Amino acid sequence: MRIKHSSVWLGLLLVLCLLLVFGCGDSEQATQEEEEEQEPEGPIKIGFSGALTGPYSEFGEGLRRAYEVAIDEWNSNGGINGREIVLITRDDQLDPSKALTNVIELIEVEEVDLLMGPAGSGPTMAALPVAIANNIIFISYAATDEAVYPDGIDQPPYPNVFVFMVLNSTSAEALAHYAASNFEKIGIIVESTTYGTDTRDWIIHFLENNYGITPVGTEVYDQKDADMTAQLARLQRAEAEVVLITGLGADAAVVKQGMNRLNFDAHFHGDGGVFSLPYFEVAGELAIGTTGTLPTVYVGPPVRQEAITFSEKYYEKWGNDRWYGEGEWPPPFFAYSSYGYDSINVLLEAVERAGTTDTDAVIQEMYNTNYAGAAWDITFTPEKHHAYPYEFVGVAEITFGDAGIAVERMQ
Amino acid sequence: MFMLQLIFAGILVGSIYALVGIGLNLPYRVSHVIPFSQGSFLMFAVLSIIWVISFGIPLWLGIIIGLIIISLLALIQERLVIRPVVARAGSHSWIVATLGVGIMLQGFAAKVWGARALGFPNIIFGSTDYLEILNVRLSLQMLLILFVVILIIALFQLFVNKTIWGKAMKATVTDQQVARLYGMNVDRIIIVSFVISGILAGIAGILIAPITGVDPAFGMDLMLKGFVALIIGGVGSVSGILIGGILLGLTEVLVSGLISASVKNVVVFILLIAMLVVRPYGLFGEKKVVKI
C-alpha cells in the first residue's frame, strides 16, 4: 500500500499543532496561576470610612489620628515585607448611607486589602453586609453585639469581623453589677437611640438573670432634650435609690440638674458619658459624686506602660489636640484613640505573620494574636471576636480635690 | 404634687419652643419665608460667644458681639440666599436653601470648634438655682426664659404699634405692593425682619445653652418644635405662639409623665397633622383671604 507523503506531513503537522496549542496552553495557564499566587506588588491598602467632618467627627477623626501614629511606625520600620502601608480614608459623617457607598468604593475602586469600619452602630450595620459579601477583613468599632455576633454573643461571630469596642452587653453587665452590688431599687434612664435602648435591655437582662432584681423604673429621653422632669419624676415616685444612665455627657448633665431641682437624691451612675468634658462643663459642681463604669485606661495617669507609650507617641505627632486635651495626661475618652491604635497594630501583625493579605490566612493569624495593647492584652479565638472583655471595664468616681474636679478609679 | 411638677415643667419647656417659634414667625409674616436655618443660628450665636469670651472678653461684651455676628449672618442669608432664590427659582425653593444654610453652618462650626458639646456660662441664674412654688421646685433659668418670652411679646407689640418701622412692617405684611406704592422700602423692611429673627435665635440660644450645653447639632430639634408651636398657635399671632408652645410643652411632658417618653413625639406630630387638617391657620392665626 502506498501512502501519500502529503497526508503524512499533514498528519504530523496536525499533531504538532495540537501539541503546541495544548502545551502552550498548559504553560500559559501555569504561569498565570503562579502569578495569581504571588502577592500583587505595591502598598498594602487599608480602607477607612469614618466621621472625619461634621458633628460626629470626634469619633472618626480620633481614630484616623491613632492609625497615622501606628502606620508611621510600621513604614519607618520598612512596612511589611517591604510593602508600604497606605491608609485610604473616606468621610461618612456617621451617616449609614454614606458609610455604605464609601465601603463599596473602597473595595471596588480603591481595591483595599483590609477595612477599618466606621465608628457607630448605624454606619457599621449599613457597611457590614458589603464587607461580608466581599469576604474582606473588617475591623468594627460598633458597640452593638449584633455587629459581630449576628445570633447572639454565645453564637459564632462573623468570620471576617473583629470588634475593638466595649460591647453594649459588656458595658451593661458592668453597670448592672455596680448597681446590684450597692442598691436594691434601681432606676434606668437611657437615650432613645439604638445604643441607649440596646444597653437598657441588656442591663435589665443582667439584673434579672444574675441578681434577681427588676428595675423600679425605666425611662428614655431624646438626645438634647432641654428638660427631663417627667421621666425623673416617675423614677422619683418609684423611689429609685440609684439612677443608671446611658447617654451623652451633655444629656447626663441635664438629667443631673433635673434630679437636683426635684430634690431627688438618688445616686447617679453612668457609662463613659458622665466622664466626658460636656458633663463636667454643663453639670458643674453637681458632677461631683457621680460614678460610672468605663475603660479606666486613661483615668488619671495611665497604669499600663503600653498606654503611656502610646500617649507619648500620640503627643509627639499631634500635640495637645482635641483628643489629647490640654493636660499632661489625656482624658478618659482617649481610650477610644487607643482602640484605633491597638486595632491597626493587631491587624498588621496578623498580616505580617500570614505573609499575605488573603482574608482566610489573616483570620487564622488573628487567632494567634497575643498583643499587649495600649488599652488591654488582646487575644481572639474562633468563638470570641471582641477585644475587650468584662474585666476591661472599671469603676471611677468624679471627685473634687486641690486641682478641681477630677476622676478617680474606684476599687 | 406629681401632676403639678409635670404641669409646671410643661409650661416652662413650652416657653422655650415659643421663643424659637416667635423667631420663625416674623420673617414668614413679612416675606412668606420660614428660615429653617434658625436652629443653626441658635447654635452659631452661642458658639461664637464661647469663642469670643475664650480670649478673655467679658461675657456681656461677648453676648453683644455674638448677636452682632448672628445679625450679619441673617442679613447675608437674606441678601445672598433667600432673595435670589425666591426671585429666580420661585416656588418653595427657599425651604431647601435655608435648610442648606443651616447644614453649612453646622459643618463650619464642627470644623472650627469641634463636635464636642461645650458648656455655656450661667446667665443671671445658675443651673441649680430654683424657686419653690407649692412644694414644686422650678428652675430659675427656665423661669427666666418664660419671662423673656413675655417681655419679647410686649416689646414686639410696642414696636409694631408705636414705631414707624413697626407700622411699615405691618403694612408690608398686609400688602407688599401697596406698601411699595406708598414709598416704603419693603426690601429693607424684609431685611430688618430677618435680622430681628436672627437676634431672637441668638437670645434663645443664650438662654437655653446654660441648661443643655451646645454642640454643632444644637438647635435643629428646637427649630422643629418651634415650628410646631408656630403652627399650633397660628402664624401671625405672637401671643398665640406662646400658647401654642405651652400646649406643645404640656403635651410632651404629660405624655412622658403619664404614659411614656417614647411616645411623646408620636403624639406631638399627630397633634400637628390634626391641626394642619382641621385648622391650618392655627388656634389664633388669621384666616388668609386672597383678593381676586
Side-chain angles (χ1 to χ4, degrees), chain A residues 79-239:
Chain A
I80 294 178
N81 298 330
R83 295 174 70 187
E84 190 191 4
I85 318 293
V86 174
L87 182 70
I88 301 170
T89 58
R90 290 287 182 278
D91 185 10
D92 61 35
Q93 298 189 321
L94 216 69
D95 177 339
S97 60
K98 282 184 194 163
L100 174 63
T101 50
N102 283 352
V103 166
I104 293 171
E105 192 184 327
L106 286 167
I107 295 172
E108 301 292 340
V109 181
E110 298 291 350
E111 297 180 337
V112 296
D113 303 294
L114 311 153
L115 264 179
M116 314 303 280
S121 296
T124 301
M125 294 307 274
L128 202 55
V130 181
I132 291 166
N134 284 276
N135 192 32
I136 188 168
I137 292 280
F138 186 85
I139 299 297
S140 166
Y141 302 97
T144 306
D145 292 52
E146 285 74 20
V148 61
Y149 301 103
D151 302 313
I153 198 162
D154 51 350
Q155 297 295 314
Y158 290 121
N160 58 325
V161 179
F162 294 85
V163 61
F164 283 77
M165 174 61 72
V166 177
L167 293 176
N168 285 345
S169 58
T170 308
S171 177
E173 190 175 357
L175 285 163
H177 176 73
Y178 175 84
S181 305
N182 296 287
F183 304 95
E184 288 177 3
K185 293 183 174 178
I186 298 163
I188 302 169
I189 186 164
V190 298
E191 62 180 42
S192 58
T193 59
T194 311
Y195 161 63
T197 53
D198 194 26
T199 307
R200 174 200 60 194
D201 294 345
W202 276 112
I203 295 171
I204 295 170
H205 167 84
F206 286 116
L207 284 175
E208 289 181 344
N209 291 297
N210 295 1
Y211 307 99
I213 295 175
T214 302
V216 294
T218 56
E219 299 292 334
V220 292
Y221 63 84
D222 294 330
Q223 282 183 356
K224 298 181 179 58
D225 266 357
D227 183 83
M228 298 168 197
T229 302
Q231 295 94 319
L232 293 172
R234 280 160 66 101
L235 291 178
Q236 188 179 29
R237 202 162 62 153
E239 297 176 348

Side-chain angles (χ1 to χ4, degrees), chain B residues 190-220:
Chain B
I190 291 173
I191 289 176
V192 169
S193 75
F194 273 92
V195 169
I196 293 174
S197 168
I199 291 171
L200 287 177
I203 292 171
I206 291 163
L207 290 171
I208 299 161
I211 301 169
T212 61
V214 59
D215 63 22
F218 171 78
M220 285 305 253

Side-chain angles (χ1 to χ4, degrees), chain A residues 9-79:
Chain A
W9 284 117
L10 273 172
L12 280 171
L13 193 63
L14 187 66
V15 171
L16 195 64
C17 282
L18 285 170
L19 279 172
L20 274 171
V21 167
F22 287 104
C24 287
D26 284 343
S27 151
E28 273 177 14
Q29 200 174 343
T31 313
Q32 204 174 335
E33 278 171 5
E34 279 168 21
E35 280 174 2
E36 277 174 4
E37 279 170 12
Q38 285 175 356
E39 280 287 338
E41 289 304 313
I44 292 173
K45 294 181 185 175
I46 302 176
F48 170 53
S49 174
L52 303 177
T53 63
Y56 304 101
S57 59
E58 206 72 30
F59 301 99
E61 179 61 15
L63 285 175
R64 192 191 68 79
R65 290 181 179 222
Y67 297 155
E68 294 283 359
V69 174
I71 288 172
D72 283 357
E73 282 183 278
W74 279 89
N75 285 335
S76 64
N77 291 324

